[in-house]
Amino acid sequence: MRILHLSDFHLRGDGGLSFRVVDTRECLETAARHLLALERKPDALVLTGDLADSGDARAYEMLRDALSPLSLPIYAVPGNHDRRDRMRDLLGAWCPADPAVAPYLCSTVEDGPVRLILLDTMSPGSHSGHLPDLVGDWLERTLAARPGVPTLLFMHHPPFVTGMGAMDEPFENVDRFAAILRRAPWVRLCCGHMHRPIVTQWAGCLALTAPAVSMQIDLDLSPEGGDTFRMETPGYLLHHWDGETLNAHVCQIPCAPTFSGPHPFVGSVNPVEG
């Protein structure tokens, strides 16, 4: 089983440059051409948030139009730059949601040898990650229902500290989240938000972040680090289950990066839903 994990498109529906620098529509089109050309198609594609730069509807339409020709199951969770109401309305089946945890877009995919759990960690208007009690209760029940089954848990915000101070904001209910995962060591935590690949061990589980389809955060391990980006090679993660081993491969999207930067993150918002 092969699951592609893409993150952080930061699309603008008005044709403008995200953060005044990045042509994110071109980044999307480059990624879509690469995925369409793959000799072996994945079994599913998971998008871990910041699909839009400021939650505008046209950005989700652009994403839908670019990736729908892949003709494979696509699942998406919101990031802090998204609007879950517009994702739900415009992306439809990409955003399945268990009504027990509404309005959060949380769900499971149970039809393969690897279980996929989609967790919504977004709070409108906030940049940081959140695990409200309703979502925590749902996650606890969901993991307990199928103990020991290989599981990929997809979410936008990593709950662990990365060393890039500007991005290491407090994560709501992080202690409870850690306690839940310590009881489920068969889970692999798959996040976005950091715009670069990171691998660590957290709460007894392997945890990863995906590179961005758009810009990559400048690796600055200081209290101020994480607030600038460079136009490095975009990428994604490929999670591969061969029946015994679950590997995660960091893959690049062929293009001609300029490696310009560092550039500041300016000109976008973490939207509040209407």
Side-chain angles (χ1 to χ4, degrees):
M1 186 176 185
R2 296 155 56 91
I3 303 101
L4 291 192
H5 172 192
L6 279 70
S7 199
D8 296 275
F9 294 79
H10 283 272
L11 288 163
R12 284 182 59 143
D14 62 1
L17 299 178
S18 294
F19 307 111
R20 305 178 188 171
V21 173
V22 190
D23 186 341
T24 48
R25 181 167 192 164
E26 180 180 355
C27 294
L28 168 64
E29 292 171 352
T30 298
R33 286 193 299 269
H34 169 66
L35 298 178
L36 282 166
L38 291 175
E39 290 187 13
R40 184 176 176 185
K41 294 297 187 288
D43 298 287
L45 175 63
V46 181
L47 315 177
T48 53
D50 283 0
L51 312 180
D53 195 39
S54 297
D56 57 297
R58 178 60 186 142
Y60 299 118
E61 294 170 348
M62 290 163 51
L63 186 70
R64 183 189 62 205
D65 292 347
L67 297 184
S68 291
L70 293 171
S71 299
L72 53 83
I74 300 176
Y75 308 101
V77 295
N80 45 281
H81 287 277
D82 289 311
R83 280 184 51 160
R84 67 166 62 91
D85 55 345
R86 289 178 176 168
M87 286 179 60
R88 185 177 55 243
D89 293 344
L90 296 169
L91 299 182
W94 294 13
C95 302
D98 186 336
V101 73
Y104 299 96
L105 302 181
C106 300
S107 62
T108 63
V109 180
E110 308 280 7
D111 56 356
V114 177
R115 190 185 197 203
L116 312 183
I117 298 179
L118 311 175
L119 194 73
D120 182 347
T121 59
M122 187 270 286
S123 180
S126 172
H127 185 264
S128 59
H130 299 262
L131 187 79
D133 288 337
L134 178 67
V135 175
D137 293 344
W138 178 88
L139 178 60
E140 199 161 16
R141 293 193 306 272
T142 300
L143 290 174
R146 297 188 68 189
V149 175
T151 300
L152 296 174
L153 172 56
F154 292 98
M155 53 194 279
H156 182 68
H157 302 88
F160 54 86
V161 172
T162 69
M164 292 184 280
M167 295 293 286
D168 286 336
E169 301 170 299
F171 190 106
E172 180 191 6
N173 274 347
V174 69
D175 290 341
R176 185 184 182 195
F177 194 10
I180 292 171
L181 288 189
R182 286 193 186 99
R183 295 191 292 273
W186 60 88
V187 171
R188 179 168 298 175
L189 186 57
C190 307
C191 307
H193 193 56
M194 298 308 299
H195 288 241
R196 63 181 311 109
I198 303 170
V199 181
T200 192
Q201 195 82 6
W202 188 77
C205 297
L206 183 64
L208 309 96
T209 65
V213 172
S214 52
M215 72 296 294
Q216 311 304 311
I217 284 183
D218 193 27
L219 182 55
D220 178 357
L221 300 174
S222 73
E224 298 78 28
D227 205 27
T228 59
F229 65 89
R230 295 181 185 271
M231 295 309 300
E232 299 176 4
T233 307
Y236 57 93
L237 296 180
L238 168 61
H239 304 280
H240 177 227
W241 171 251
D242 66 1
E244 295 183 358
T245 304
L246 182 57
N247 290 317
H249 301 270
V250 181
C251 305
Q252 294 183 324
I253 298 172
C255 63
T258 65
F259 294 93
S260 68
H263 304 287
F265 283 102
V266 294
S268 64
V269 298
N270 301 299
V272 176
E273 295 182 16

